[in-house]
Amino acid sequence: MSAAVAVRGLEKSFGDLHVLRGVDLEVAPGTVFALLGSNGAGKTTLVRILSTLLRMDGGEVAVAGFDVATRGADVRRSISLTGQFAAVDEVLTGRENLVLVARLRHLPDPGRVADELLARFSLTEAGRRRAGTYSGGMRRRLDIAMSLIGSPAVVVLDEPTTGLDPEARLEVWDAIRGLAAGGTTVLLTTQHLDEAEQLADRIAILHEGRIIVDGTLAELQALLPPTRVERVEQPPALEDVFLAVIGSRRAAGDPTGQEAR
Amino acid sequence: MSITFVGDTVALTGRSLRHVTRSLDTVITTALMPIALLLLFVFVLGGAIRTGTDSYVAYLLPGILLITIATGVSYTAYRLFQDLQGGILERFRSMPIARSSVLWAHVLTSLVANVLSLVVVVAVGLLIGFRSSAGPLAWLAVLGILVLVTLALTWVAVIPGLTAKTVDGASAFSYPLILLPFISSAFVPTASMPGPVRWFAEHQPVTSIVNAIRDLLAVRPVGADLPVALLWCAGILVAAWAVATAVYRRRGA
């Protein structure tokens, strides 16, 4: 089966700033691919080129087999972008946001699509409220739900947990795991290494405009000397403490990380 | 004009109309300043202005309607700027929709919101003594001119909406538009103005538009003002549409 996303020799400059200097990567269908990189590494630029929002200077990029340069409309049908800043309409309710996207994707029964997604993302109660009143985690879940409408082959999540508190981050992680389980190809950009470790089948590191490493977590770990076995007294991580004291559903003692729904 | 263009524009117009109906204060605030000017000029300053007509309200109302539109379209720039900042415009652009439908939805929404504000202003005009014996056809012609003006100015508003760096910048463009009627025949006859000012007043679009509307409402024969007004509106509409569309395309792939 051909790659869900195929990028070859991708170049992009903004004036004198050479952001992407020959990026090569391939995302297999139905996998979660994490693109790691520091701020300004060019992750968002790459994502914007994939979703036809930005033109490339050189190279070849195909999404679901469609060339982004010549088959823009087909690419937009195959890909869905969730931006760094949750792009929901704050004046509309959660349900209205979903109905709007379903109508724009020309689906037959927008209301039903919206209700199903509200249920799937535990937003049924909140669905009647304006999205402007949502917490960060709820907004991001609504945002992800919006990008799933019309079952695009590839979902791009650009730093989906940036700016979220730890609890909301776990909510979003659950949502991403749900996507992967449903067979959607996910391209995830992040600067949180643990996020890639938790979610991705394959990880690539974008640095100074090139992919410098690309492989599974095990392959990446093999790049360094083998693990030394040591016995250490490990205090609970601050994250565990934080979640425990605020009485989160995910607090220590719930190692599965599954919330009761 | 494909089926998707129509469907997408309808869906997106429904969305931005909700923004209007959920903040009806924008319709009111749009009407507020023009109404204040109307009252100020009719009851305070108007007594000293010689227009050669019996009713100063009737003389003034067309200009006030233009000021209403100039105020109203700045909300389009504002809403577009918010869409751009919030990232929702990016989301729409990355979706398989007719791309121009995003802008047309904002323009149609502006049309609806402005017609509502205009109705409010005309109602206040009626309350303070504006009367017209114009028939339905004349009123329809007036509505047509106002719709054309709104379309033209809204496309002008799209440009700062897409290019502004700050919210204030997005709506600042409307100040000159609001001032333009003052240097026209809207408040006082141009004959009273000194040479160069008078020349400017007589050759800028507001004067011909105001004169055309005034004649239609007063059931006077409309002279050359009407075609000149229509030409101005059509010219501004086409030019602003072309620039706005180009700016919109240039912002992305």
Side-chain angles (χ1 to χ4, degrees):
Chain A
M1 204 169 171
S2 69
V5 176
V7 177
R8 249 181 251 324
L10 174 60
E11 305 258 350
K12 179 72 191 176
S13 301
F14 295 103
D16 292 337
L17 195 62
H18 204 166
V19 180
L20 300 178
R21 310 162 177 231
V23 171
D24 298 297
L25 66 85
E26 218 164 82
V27 181
T31 61
V32 178
F33 188 99
L35 188 64
L36 280 173
S38 355
N39 270 337
K43 302 188 297 290
T44 298
T45 303
L46 176 57
V47 161
R48 287 170 53 86
I49 291 173
L50 284 179
S51 43
T52 76
L53 291 172
L54 200 62
R55 224 188 287 270
M56 59 185 151
D57 295 341
E60 282 171 38
V61 178
V63 174
F66 300 114
D67 189 329
V68 297
T70 56
R71 305 281 300 273
D74 291 313
V75 170
R76 286 191 284 277
R77 244 185 291 283
S78 315
I79 197 169
S80 195
L81 172 67
T82 298
Q84 212 172 121
F85 306 99
V88 304
D89 188 320
E90 298 191 358
V91 176
L92 301 188
T93 67
R95 187 172 186 277
E96 285 168 343
N97 267 290
L98 293 165
V99 168
L100 173 66
V101 174
R103 288 183 65 189
L104 292 175
R105 291 239 174 219
H106 314 121
L107 300 183
D109 190 351
R112 198 175 49 82
V113 172
D115 289 330
E116 281 171 9
L117 280 164
L118 286 172
R120 180 165 158 201
F121 285 89
S122 316
L123 290 167
T124 305
E125 287 300 305
R128 286 189 304 265
R129 276 179 19 224
R130 288 192 191 190
T133 66
Y134 287 13
S135 70
M138 289 165 75
R139 278 174 70 114
R140 209 59 67 96
R141 281 193 328 235
L142 175 63
D143 189 17
I144 294 174
M146 283 163 77
S147 55
L148 293 187
I149 294 173
S151 312
V154 180
V155 172
V156 177
L157 302 167
D158 189 18
E159 305 204 359
T161 60
T162 297
L164 293 188
D165 61 47
E167 194 179 10
R169 194 154 75 122
L170 294 179
E171 287 175 17
V172 170
W173 281 5
D174 265 358
I176 296 172
R177 287 194 188 99
L179 293 191
T184 307
T185 307
V186 178
L187 175 63
L188 168 80
T189 78
T190 181
Q191 36 180 323
H192 301 297
L193 309 185
D194 52 339
E195 192 159 289
E197 210 172 320
Q198 286 280 337
L199 298 172
D201 299 307
R202 213 175 162 83
I203 299 167
I205 298 176
L206 182 64
H207 186 66
E208 293 182 343
R210 285 191 192 88
I211 301 286
I212 50 172
V213 197
D214 180 353
T216 62
L217 179 61
E219 285 167 2
L220 262 57
Q221 283 167 335
L223 293 173
L224 293 182
T227 328
R228 289 176 300 153
V229 181
E230 274 179 69
R231 192 188 141 75
V232 277
E233 298 281 320
Q234 198 184 1
L238 182 57
E239 182 170 323
D240 297 332
V241 177
F242 177 83
L243 293 173
V245 297
I246 64 166
S248 163
R249 293 161 302 194
R250 325 294 195 105
D254 180 11
T256 60
Q258 296 295 315
E259 62 177 299
R261 287 200 174 136
Chain B
M1 282 266 184
S2 63
I3 304 277
T4 27
F5 172 79
V6 175
D8 294 344
T9 306
V10 169
L12 288 167
T13 305
R15 165 201 173 243
S16 46
L17 274 177
R18 283 208 172 101
H19 284 232
V20 175
T21 55
R22 282 174 196 179
S23 49
L24 270 180
D25 51 322
T26 57
V27 173
I28 304 299
T29 50
T30 299
L32 216 56
M33 213 261 288
I35 289 172
L37 283 174
L38 183 68
L39 299 177
L40 179 69
F41 273 83
V42 168
F43 292 118
V44 182
L45 304 169
I49 297 174
R50 298 282 158 260
T51 61
T53 52
D54 351 324
S55 161
Y56 187 62
V57 189
Y59 183 86
L60 186 61
L61 193 64
I64 295 294
L65 295 180
L66 291 198
I67 291 183
T68 309
I69 295 172
T71 316
V73 296
S74 66
Y75 280 106
T76 298
Y78 171 77
R79 288 191 205 101
L80 205 48
F81 180 79
Q82 296 292 339
D83 277 6
L84 200 64
Q85 291 294 304
I88 193 108
L89 203 72
E90 196 102 303
R91 161 163 253 141
F92 293 147
R93 293 175 62 113
S94 71
M95 289 175 59
I97 63 174
R99 287 196 156 186
S100 57
S101 61
V102 175
L103 295 185
W104 273 106
H106 275 287
V107 172
L108 294 179
T109 301
S110 162
L111 202 56
V112 174
N114 273 296
V115 168
L116 288 179
S117 297
L118 288 170
V119 167
V120 173
V121 174
V122 170
V124 172
L126 288 170
L127 276 180
I128 62 168
F130 168 72
R131 293 293 177 268
S132 165
S133 50
L137 267 181
W139 273 104
L140 213 58
V142 170
L143 180 68
I145 296 172
L146 292 173
V147 163
L148 200 58
V149 171
T150 307
L151 283 177
L153 293 189
T154 303
W155 277 109
V156 172
V158 168
I159 300 167
L162 288 172
T163 53
K165 301 277 183 285
T166 63
V167 174
D168 296 330
S171 36
F173 81 98
S174 67
Y175 301 144
L177 291 184
I178 293 168
L179 284 177
L180 218 46
F182 286 94
I183 318 167
S184 79
S185 66
F187 291 88
V188 295
T190 52
S192 63
M193 301 173 187
V197 181
R198 178 176 176 179
W199 185 89
F200 175 78
E202 286 176 353
H203 293 88
Q204 61 122 324
V206 173
T207 295
S208 58
I209 297 169
V210 161
N211 288 350
I213 296 176
R214 201 180 276 145
D215 288 344
L216 282 165
L217 290 179
V219 204
R220 279 194 298 264
V222 188
D225 283 319
L226 185 60
V228 172
L230 293 181
L231 272 179
W232 269 114
C233 290
I236 294 169
L237 176 61
V238 170
W241 171 83
V243 173
T245 311
V247 169
Y248 182 62
R249 282 188 206 290
R250 197 163 49 80
R251 284 200 67 96

